[in-house]
Amino acid sequence: MPKNKHVGDSVSKGGVDITRRTFLHKSLLTGGAVATGSAVGFFQTLTSMEVANAAMGESFSFAWVSDTHLYPRELNQRFIDKATRAFSEVEAMGSKFDFMIFGGDLAQLGDPVEIELGAELLQEVTLEKHFIPGEHDWYLDLGESWNSHFGESPWTFDHKGVRIIGLDTVGSAPDYWSARGMTDVERMGHMSALDGSQAGPWSGLGKKNREWLSATLSDWPAGDPVIIFSHTPLYEVYAPWNFWIRDWRQVHEILAPYQNVTNVHGHVHQPLYNEIGGMRSIGQLATSWPWPYAPEGTPELTKPMLRVDPGDHFDGVGWTSLAMNEGRMDYEYMMWREQVFANTRADSGTGDNQNQKLSPRIADRGWTGDWFNIERK
Ligand SMILES: [Fe+2]
Ligand SMILES: [Fe+2]
């Protein structure tokens, strides 16, 4: 299996070996993302993937918004305010973007009222829009409201030399509700709490979607860029919170031949970056709230995010502007605060090397054999 690449790995550019941390330090000294109030992903510009895929395709930009977690209007205005701010900002910059992707968790409890409210707010954005569902959109009515408003997933289209794919990573959880006689509300309740005690490792593509992904990529040249949108990450971020797809092994096998894959994912509500083989994964902000970093299992963070100010509900959230530039993915977190990244590890909330255990194979602890081949009826 391919190994996760971690901070400090030596990368070679222009024949000079240099650690990623050193490169990052130089970038911060000479760049200035921190001072701008937004956060540019510097470090991906150093990867061997980019060197291999330089000067490819036509450049374009797009916007990502996700994880608005809307409640009905009378219950919660804050999340509406933040979603509205994101959509307004995207629309204001609309001439820059070719399209917007909404990456799931539009609703909090899958209530059709919440999804209707989200559809109404999304009308602010007049760009071409594409949608993938989150688990919060799905498990009250098993996707009925979501699909009726935003269409079914997965889907694909080609854009300026890039194959673009939108996956459904949430809709094929094993049936944890029938045998227990759960109501629809109870089923949604377990999912909305990310409660793995009932739902197990619920996130995944499932056999049908994996076959679709394989067929969709079968005619695509291995060196050409692919962007895959998914709500949950396509690698094992943190199993106890279901921050991963349970069938990542098979998905990585499908993606292994492709040398320039970018997975843009939501669900984690925080800046994350990782590379496995030819796939880079970029975690996205929520507009609703930031999750803390997982205490173990993830690659050591290159640029940890500061702890957020609990008194400021616009802190630590936002949306993302992304650009495919000649086969290289650049991105800018449009986070609504002045100071984004920690200057010292003590400020980061991620612990130090002693407290943060690195366990690349954490998913194996919850590994359940043939679970990933069980299909929900
Ligand atoms: Fe979410
Ligand atoms: Fe989610």
Side-chain angles (χ1 to χ4, degrees):
M1 293 297 299
K3 287 183 179 168
N4 294 10
K5 185 181 274 188
H6 302 302
V7 174
D9 283 354
S10 181
V11 294
S12 178
K13 192 173 185 185
V16 179
D17 285 326
I18 187 166
T19 65
R20 190 176 299 180
R21 183 182 298 277
T22 305
F23 247 125
L24 174 68
H25 182 64
K26 289 187 175 181
S27 294
L28 288 172
L29 286 175
T30 58
V34 172
T36 64
S38 57
V40 179
F42 281 114
F43 41 95
Q44 83 277 25
T45 61
L46 311 173
T47 69
S48 55
M49 287 167 60
E50 281 193 340
V51 174
N53 293 291
M56 178 186 294
E58 194 180 337
S59 298
F60 63 92
S61 297
F62 59 95
W64 167 287
V65 183
S66 71
D67 296 278
T68 50
H69 290 268
L70 298 168
Y71 288 88
R73 195 180 285 276
E74 61 273 19
L75 291 180
N76 181 311
Q77 185 62 42
R78 284 187 172 187
F79 289 0
I80 295 175
D81 292 345
K82 294 191 269 190
T84 300
R85 177 169 172 175
F87 297 146
S88 300
E89 290 179 358
V90 170
E91 180 65 12
M93 294 172 64
S95 58
K96 175 180 178 180
F97 303 126
D98 285 12
F99 58 87
M100 188 193 97
I101 168 84
F102 187 86
D105 283 356
L106 180 66
Q108 170 62 10
L109 294 173
D111 185 338
V113 170
E114 299 168 348
I115 290 178
E116 184 68 42
L117 171 60
E120 186 189 313
L121 300 180
L122 276 157
Q123 288 176 9
E124 169 76 17
V125 180
T126 57
L127 285 166
E128 180 182 311
K129 287 174 288 218
H130 301 278
F131 300 89
I132 51 172
E135 74 282 0
H136 287 256
D137 305 314
W138 198 267
Y139 281 92
L140 186 70
D141 60 9
L142 298 180
E144 194 178 323
S145 299
W146 175 269
N147 284 344
S148 71
H149 277 91
F150 306 118
E152 296 185 4
S153 308
W155 43 257
T156 185
F157 61 92
D158 294 347
H159 187 70
K160 297 182 177 175
V162 180
R163 179 143 296 181
I164 296 178
I165 291 170
L167 292 177
D168 168 13
T169 55
V170 302
S172 55
D175 183 349
Y176 60 89
W177 53 89
S178 294
R180 296 179 175 94
M182 287 183 189
T183 65
D184 295 352
V185 171
E186 288 169 336
R187 177 177 60 209
M188 182 71 242
H190 285 288
M191 191 60 79
S192 66
L194 298 180
D195 178 5
S197 70
Q198 300 293 312
W202 52 265
S203 178
L205 261 63
K207 189 160 178 282
K208 195 168 130 198
N209 285 326
R210 291 198 306 268
E211 287 170 357
W212 179 91
L213 178 62
S214 185
T216 298
L217 287 170
S218 62
D219 66 345
W220 192 247
D224 287 6
V226 179
I227 299 175
I228 302 180
F229 297 118
S230 62
H231 180 67
T232 36
L234 300 184
Y235 69 103
E236 70 282 24
V237 179
Y238 189 50
W241 293 347
N242 273 306
F243 277 11
W244 62 312
I245 54 167
R246 66 185 184 274
D247 48 0
W248 55 270
R249 291 169 192 261
Q250 289 92 331
V251 173
H252 289 189
E253 289 298 321
I254 293 167
L255 298 177
Y258 301 94
Q259 294 140 29
N260 187 356
V261 178
T262 302
N263 171 220
V264 183
H265 66 80
H267 191 62
V268 296
H269 297 207
Q270 61 193 215
L272 274 179
Y273 183 87
N274 194 15
E275 290 180 10
I276 300 174
M279 180 180 73
R280 60 172 78 84
S281 293
I282 308 172
Q284 302 295 302
L285 300 172
T287 66
S288 52
W289 71 83
W291 283 118
Y293 283 114
E296 58 178 329
T298 57
E300 190 174 1
L301 295 159
T302 313
K303 294 194 296 182
M305 196 171 85
L306 284 167
R307 290 176 191 267
V308 300
D309 176 0
D312 177 1
H313 66 270
F314 282 95
D315 195 10
V317 294
W319 56 283
T320 310
S321 167
L322 300 102
M324 180 60 90
N325 291 316
E326 298 179 333
R328 183 191 70 214
M329 180 64 79
D330 294 323
Y331 58 100
E332 183 176 8
Y333 291 121
M334 311 302 280
M335 194 188 285
W336 298 324
R337 74 186 305 184
E338 290 298 314
Q339 182 75 17
V340 178
F341 291 118
N343 291 320
T344 68
R345 297 192 60 80
D347 289 338
S348 71
T350 61
D352 54 26
N353 282 337
Q354 287 166 343
N355 291 325
Q356 185 167 5
K357 291 178 286 182
L358 190 62
S359 307
R361 294 275 76 84
I362 189 173
D364 289 340
R365 295 184 211 163
W367 184 242
T368 49
D370 287 334
W371 186 302
F372 54 86
N373 282 324
I374 297 171
E375 294 302 307
R376 182 169 55 78
K377 296 192 185 85

